[in-house]
Amino acid sequence: MEEERRELVEKIEEYFERKQYPQLRDLLLPLEAADIAAICDDLDERVPVMFRLLPKELAAEVFVELDSDEQELLIQGFSNTELKEVLDELYLDDTVDIVEEMPANVVKRILKHSDPETRKSINEILKYPEDSTGSIMTTEFVDLKEHMTVEDALKRIRRTAPDKETINVCYVIDDRRHLIGLLSIRTLLLAEEDDVIGDIMERNFISVQTLDDQETTAQALSKYDFLALPVVDTENRLVGIVTVDDAMDVIEEETTEDIELMAAMLPSDKPYLKTGVFETWKARTPWLLILMLSATFTGIILTHFEGALMSCAILTSFVPMLSGTGGNSGTQASTAVIRALSLGEVRFSDCIQVLWKEFRVSLCCGVCLAAANFVKMMVVDRWLMHNPDVTAMVALVVCSTLVCTVACAKLVGCTLPILAEKLGFDPAVMASPFISTIVDSISLLIYFQFATILLGI
């Protein structure tokens, strides 16, 4: 795919150099909007020219797929007529996404050249909280009345469908816009023309509310394999729908955010190569400072047991192994639990079950690791490397600590994300960085306690 893209870019550049614009247009027309947008990353200042060669509908689709920086560049280069043509071809939710990412001067220009009805709808959607379902919905859907006949419904669909984002499912409302049912286009086409909508519509349906979390709504679309979900307000009035393409964007954003938080970085909404060095520094440094300061506890523990380390120096060489194993064990548990929380597989009420499961898993893992480590210490460290300080009792201290460290790490790793969600925080915040710091301190305390008891130091 990368090779094909490179060849395509070379061919486009060749057409530009020769000013063969009709051939360039013919080359672009069969391509998907997402593929054309990807090619634009390699064309830089030629993007506006290429954009003007595309038909209006395709140009609008490509515009939606472009990065916000490229969109801003195009908008600033558009004439008022060109801007209005693009805005007229965009679906409302796409227009809202663009407005949210543009600077104030560009937003004013977009709103100025939008028709009054679109402007009103944009302003209404922008009032909803950033991560709510209302902020990602579109108001472009087909609504029907239950007293309509199938013939009337089809006439309404033909009349209004060109301006709607999807017509696969139509929504039935009463005179006060309360959602009372839904109807697939398939059902409509297979019904008799004189059938009444109220008799053939589906009355058992799933809907979401405007203030529901957008991630929950995206998960509902994924769970039930819907193409769209109706969005109602607190009084069950139909105000919009969320389509599957918007849900996919939400899932991608939320997953990216979780991965960045788990890696101790502040989330960024820009692609990696388009994020500046200063912005990347700002995203990473605060967490690094916090984790560096939190590691002070580990230093305090080491200082406190300095005498024990001096009397049995060999213990120091096993500290990194215990620390690394504990951190990895905690990360395994936290990653599994964070994923389960995101998919709705685990709730706070399942905390005891999760703890019991991870405790049993930790014992199995800990005993297995301890046995392997005991053999390694006796065979490799003592026998092959001729290290007399590695005695059976030292190996017992290390292996006992290993079992306890893995158990503590997995219990901490599974508990913190659940507690974080219960307290209203993102569970990913409590992932590996904090878990590693906590586990390091616990493992050192356990290590030196075992050393004191078993070695008498």
Side-chain angles (χ1 to χ4, degrees), residues 224-412:
Y224 297 109
D225 291 329
F226 291 156
L227 295 177
L229 265 177
V231 183
V232 298
D233 60 14
T234 54
E235 297 180 1
N236 199 44
R237 288 191 296 251
L238 182 65
V239 292
I241 61 172
V242 174
T243 52
V244 68
D245 58 323
D246 295 315
M248 290 174 65
D249 291 339
V250 169
I251 291 172
E252 181 183 344
E253 289 170 11
E254 296 290 344
T255 303
T256 302
E257 181 179 321
D258 287 347
I259 290 172
E260 289 176 331
L261 288 173
M262 289 172 69
M265 294 188 295
L266 294 175
S268 171
D269 56 356
K270 291 184 178 180
Y272 174 75
L273 292 176
K274 295 194 175 182
T275 305
V277 174
F278 184 69
E279 290 177 86
T280 305
W281 168 78
K282 284 198 301 181
R284 297 182 185 181
T285 303
W287 285 108
L288 291 175
L289 287 171
I290 292 170
L291 293 172
M292 183 183 70
L293 294 174
S294 65
T296 306
F297 296 109
T298 307
I300 293 171
I301 295 170
L302 286 171
T303 303
H304 181 74
F305 289 99
E306 189 176 1
L309 289 172
M310 290 179 65
S311 61
C312 188
I314 192 65
L315 293 176
T316 308
S317 63
F318 298 105
V319 169
M321 183 271 293
L322 292 170
S323 175
T325 303
N328 292 336
S329 299
T331 300
Q332 286 179 337
S334 66
T335 302
V337 171
I338 288 169
R339 179 184 180 278
L341 287 168
S342 298
L343 297 176
E345 298 172 353
V346 169
R347 298 178 180 83
F348 182 76
S349 57
D350 300 317
C351 191
I352 301 299
Q353 275 184 277
V354 173
L355 284 169
W356 176 232
K357 177 183 176 178
E358 288 297 333
F359 177 70
R360 287 178 291 167
V361 171
S362 68
L363 288 182
C364 294
C365 292
V367 170
C368 180
L369 292 172
N373 189 63
F374 188 87
V375 173
K376 176 257 180 189
M377 291 179 70
M378 290 293 97
V379 174
V380 178
D381 296 342
R382 185 174 177 82
W383 182 46
L384 293 178
M385 299 181 68
H386 306 291
N387 191 339
D389 293 332
V390 180
T391 63
M393 195 57 70
V394 169
L396 182 61
V397 169
V398 175
C399 295
S400 300
T401 304
L402 199 56
V403 174
C404 294
T405 297
V406 171
C408 291
K410 289 196 177 295
L411 294 178
V412 170

Side-chain angles (χ1 to χ4, degrees), residues 147-152 191-197 199-200:
H147 57 75
M148 284 182 172
T149 63
V150 169
E151 184 180 5
D152 294 334
E192 299 295 333
E193 289 188 350
D194 56 352
D195 286 345
V196 178
I197 296 300
D199 296 334
I200 62 173

Side-chain angles (χ1 to χ4, degrees), residues 21-153:
Y21 299 124
Q23 290 88 334
L24 176 58
R25 177 187 170 92
D26 293 339
L27 178 65
L28 295 173
L29 287 180
L31 299 178
E32 294 292 332
D35 294 328
I36 297 175
I39 292 169
C40 289
D41 291 338
D42 301 319
L43 297 176
D44 299 326
E45 71 280 354
R46 293 174 174 174
V47 172
V49 178
M50 190 176 77
F51 191 84
R52 288 183 172 90
L53 294 174
L54 301 173
K56 285 192 297 184
E57 290 184 9
L58 181 57
E61 292 175 11
V62 171
F63 187 81
V64 171
E65 299 290 340
L66 293 173
D67 294 332
S68 56
D69 292 341
E70 292 172 334
Q71 289 175 341
E72 183 181 350
L73 183 66
L74 281 174
I75 290 173
Q76 290 175 344
F78 284 160
S79 66
N80 292 338
T81 304
E82 288 174 327
L83 178 59
K84 190 170 189 327
E85 286 178 353
V86 171
L87 292 174
D88 288 343
E89 294 295 332
L90 293 179
Y91 291 119
L92 179 63
D93 55 336
D94 294 326
T95 307
V96 171
D97 289 340
I98 292 167
V99 167
E100 288 178 330
E101 295 178 1
M102 291 294 117
N105 61 322
V106 177
V107 171
K108 287 179 181 177
R109 192 166 173 226
I110 291 174
L111 294 176
K112 180 181 177 181
H113 292 91
S114 300
D115 59 75
E117 186 178 344
T118 302
R119 194 180 309 126
K120 180 182 176 183
S121 298
I122 291 172
N123 289 328
E124 286 177 358
I125 293 176
L126 290 175
K127 291 177 184 177
Y128 292 108
E130 184 179 354
D131 293 328
S132 67
T133 299
S135 68
I136 61 169
M137 72 179 183
T138 179
T139 57
E140 295 168 328
F141 56 88
V142 176
D143 55 52
L144 305 172
K145 298 294 180 64
E146 63 176 329
H147 57 75
M148 284 182 172
T149 63
V150 169
E151 184 180 5
D152 294 334

Side-chain angles (χ1 to χ4, degrees), residues 179 182 204-208 220 224 226 228-230:
L179 181 63
L182 51 84
N204 297 319
F205 55 85
I206 295 172
S207 63
V208 291
Y224 297 109
F226 291 156
L229 265 177

